[in-house]
Amino acid sequence: MEKVSIMLPTSQKTVEVNLDRKTMKTCRLKVYPTQEIVLSIPQTVPIEWAEEFLTDKSSWIESKLESFQRTSGYAATDEIRNGFSIKMLGEDMLFVLTECDKEQVYSEGKRIYICCHDPDDQEKVWKLFESWWRKQAKAILQKRAEHWYPIIEKYGVAMPKVAVRKMKTLWGSCSVNRGAITFNFYLIKARMPYIDYVILHELTHFLYPNHSKQFYMFLSNYMPDWKERKCILDQEVVHGL
């Protein structure tokens, strides 16, 4: 993977940015909690353009890196410990780990309780948590998909099957032929307006498989502020995917 070095304006620190060339029409810049910086760009974009673009975005990059440093261990998803937290529907949910004979995970208020034989066994804790989280995600996303489904039902589209899995770069994907939509495992970190944007986006693909002018016209008709929702979702809501 190509790399570009840029200097941060305040700290004067030099950081590396990975260039990920893809078949796409626009560019996408992401900063991860791990301090990794990735700029996805079309195959034909000159490296000089990428360097200039990153220089223009250097202040934003620096602010993101500093934000992740300040919140290290907070709202993280790489470790589950007492006092750590994770976003769920836009709210910070604190982890509470307890030692008990009956293994279970449940939420009360703004806390997620994980009961297990050995709270220090991260492998076991993660297994319990992810099983619980997947069920929550499936239930929430299924309900919201059913909420938006009538918009495409009148065009003779059957209710798609809803699935949840971990995806690194996508919020959702659909298979028109299989009549199925797959959503990102961590999409429910976001608040409902941003979840709804992803759901309506994927449902619209059952009428317009490509990102055509008609696709965006249809999407805009039912969600005029979809661009704002997408921007907030991509840049601010869910990091590290």
Side-chain angles (χ1 to χ4, degrees):
M1 185 177 289
E2 294 176 84
K3 294 182 183 292
V4 171
S5 295
I6 62 167
M7 181 175 290
L8 302 178
T10 303
S11 66
Q12 295 294 294
K13 177 182 177 183
T14 299
V15 295
E16 283 192 339
V17 180
N18 292 319
L19 297 184
D20 185 14
R21 293 188 180 275
K22 295 183 175 182
T23 304
M24 57 195 302
K25 294 182 179 180
T26 60
C27 67
R28 182 175 64 244
L29 176 62
K30 296 197 76 172
V31 179
Y32 294 93
T34 59
Q35 308 292 295
E36 182 185 10
I37 309 166
V38 179
L39 175 63
S40 299
I41 54 176
Q43 299 281 3
T44 57
V45 169
I47 194 168
E48 292 79 11
W49 183 93
E51 291 173 340
E52 184 176 346
F53 175 82
L54 290 167
T55 299
D56 290 340
K57 293 290 185 181
S58 59
S59 294
W60 180 85
I61 293 172
E62 188 169 33
S63 68
K64 287 295 181 183
L65 291 172
E66 290 175 351
S67 175
F68 285 132
Q69 286 178 340
R70 288 195 303 269
T71 58
S72 178
Y74 179 74
T77 52
D78 58 348
E79 198 173 0
I80 299 176
R81 304 285 182 187
N82 275 316
F84 281 34
S85 68
I86 188 171
K87 292 280 187 183
M88 185 174 184
L89 298 180
E91 299 287 340
D92 290 311
M93 302 287 287
L94 284 173
F95 288 119
V96 179
L97 280 66
T98 58
E99 183 178 349
C100 50
D101 293 331
K102 183 181 179 181
E103 294 185 332
Q104 61 177 327
V105 180
Y106 62 95
S107 63
E108 286 186 358
K110 294 187 178 182
R111 287 177 169 79
I112 298 174
Y113 294 88
I114 302 177
C115 307
C116 59
H117 301 309
D118 182 6
D120 292 323
D121 184 348
Q122 280 289 297
E123 184 177 352
K124 182 63 176 179
V125 168
W126 263 106
K127 185 176 180 180
L128 288 169
F129 168 71
E130 289 196 339
S131 176
W132 175 84
W133 182 277
R134 189 178 297 277
K135 290 177 182 177
Q136 306 307 305
K138 177 66 185 299
I140 292 168
L141 296 171
Q142 178 74 43
K143 185 176 181 179
R144 295 313 295 170
E146 291 172 358
H147 170 81
W148 287 99
Y149 168 62
I151 290 174
I152 65 168
E153 181 183 18
K154 58 189 177 184
Y155 296 96
V157 179
M159 175 67 199
K161 296 177 182 177
V162 174
V164 175
R165 70 178 177 87
K166 291 182 179 180
M167 295 186 279
K168 289 186 177 181
T169 60
L170 298 174
W171 297 119
S173 65
C174 73
S175 172
V176 176
N177 293 335
R178 292 191 298 108
I181 298 176
T182 302
F183 293 108
N184 194 304
F185 183 80
Y186 284 119
L187 178 57
I188 63 167
K189 281 185 176 183
R191 291 198 298 118
M192 200 60 75
Y194 313 119
I195 292 174
D196 281 349
Y197 155 69
V198 177
I199 288 172
L200 183 57
H201 182 111
E202 298 306 330
L203 286 174
T204 301
H205 275 310
F206 284 87
L207 301 178
Y208 305 99
N210 299 317
H211 292 119
S212 62
K213 182 179 179 180
Q214 290 76 15
F215 171 90
Y216 288 115
M217 287 176 61
F218 186 90
L219 186 61
S220 297
N221 184 50
Y222 289 98
M223 190 176 286
D225 65 340
W226 70 266
K227 289 183 181 179
E228 290 80 2
R229 298 191 195 202
K230 182 182 186 303
C231 182
I232 292 173
L233 180 65
D234 286 341
Q235 299 295 335
E236 300 177 18
V237 176
V238 186
H239 301 290
L241 299 179

